[in-house]
Amino acid sequence: YALTDYTLFANQLGQTGSIHVTAEQVTFTLTTPEGSKTQTEKNTGPVVVGPSLVGFVVRHLEALGAGKTFDVRFAVLDRLETIGFTLKAIDAPEGQTRVKMSASNFLFALAIDPILFTFERATGKLVRLEGRVPPKVRAGNTWADFDARVEYRFVADAYR
């Protein structure tokens, strides 16, 4: 689950973009109706995005359950930067592991509520996500961030 390339089509916002990750740097390219922007930053990884974040957590679920914490850089395409987060297991119901993802920078932590992931301990399957999700909601003439509680129901026996 090491991120190398990611392409996003954010139709809701009329944006497209990509993230390219090497051992040395993270490069963002974003195209909006107003034009294109590119930004590069030093890779202080590991770098994750929505689709690779859950895989990263699952890969480290046992260590998280044993009390280890992990720092990740979450790539935010529309901001053209990564934001640091800490992953840590917190109290969970029997048979589950709950992971809290909190901004590691004090100022970001004031503005960004933690995201909670709940996994079945026996299978490692994600069963619940609570917090910020990719879709946005209309707020007048602009789009606002949206927090939700997502319950997952698995219809397949296995996921890759």
Side-chain angles (χ1 to χ4, degrees):
Y1 284 96
L3 181 66
T4 56
D5 286 290
Y6 176 68
T7 301
L8 176 69
F9 298 94
N11 295 336
Q12 184 182 36
L13 305 175
Q15 301 175 339
T16 61
S18 64
I19 301 167
H20 179 69
V21 181
T22 67
E24 295 81 29
Q25 66 185 26
V26 183
T27 303
F28 300 85
T29 303
L30 178 66
T31 302
T32 67
E34 291 79 35
S36 293
K37 299 177 189 174
T38 299
Q39 182 70 36
T40 300
E41 69 179 56
K42 183 178 179 181
N43 183 354
T44 57
V47 178
V48 296
V49 292
S52 68
L53 172 61
V54 172
F56 182 91
V57 174
V58 168
R59 183 174 174 205
H60 298 94
L61 201 53
E62 187 175 323
L64 285 160
K68 185 168 179 168
T69 62
F70 289 90
D71 291 324
V72 296
R73 301 294 303 177
F74 190 85
V76 183
L77 187 56
D78 59 342
R79 291 180 57 92
L80 300 172
E81 67 177 337
T82 63
I83 298 174
F85 285 89
T86 299
L87 302 168
K88 177 183 179 178
I90 59 173
D91 288 339
E94 183 67 32
Q96 295 183 335
T97 300
R98 198 163 193 208
V99 176
K100 181 178 181 180
M101 179 176 153
S102 303
S104 51
N105 175 289
F106 175 75
L107 293 177
F108 279 119
L110 291 175
I112 304 170
D113 289 334
I115 299 173
L116 303 174
F117 301 89
T118 304
F119 296 85
E120 287 180 349
R121 190 171 296 134
T123 64
K125 289 182 178 178
L126 178 64
V127 294
R128 183 177 310 106
L129 178 147
E130 299 164 83
R132 186 70 34 94
V133 293
K136 301 201 181 268
V137 294
R138 182 62 83 175
N141 291 333
T142 187
W143 294 97
D145 290 327
F146 182 62
D147 291 344
R149 177 179 168 145
V150 181
E151 300 282 338
Y152 294 92
R153 181 177 58 89
F154 290 87
V155 295
D157 291 335
Y159 175 73
R160 295 189 210 169

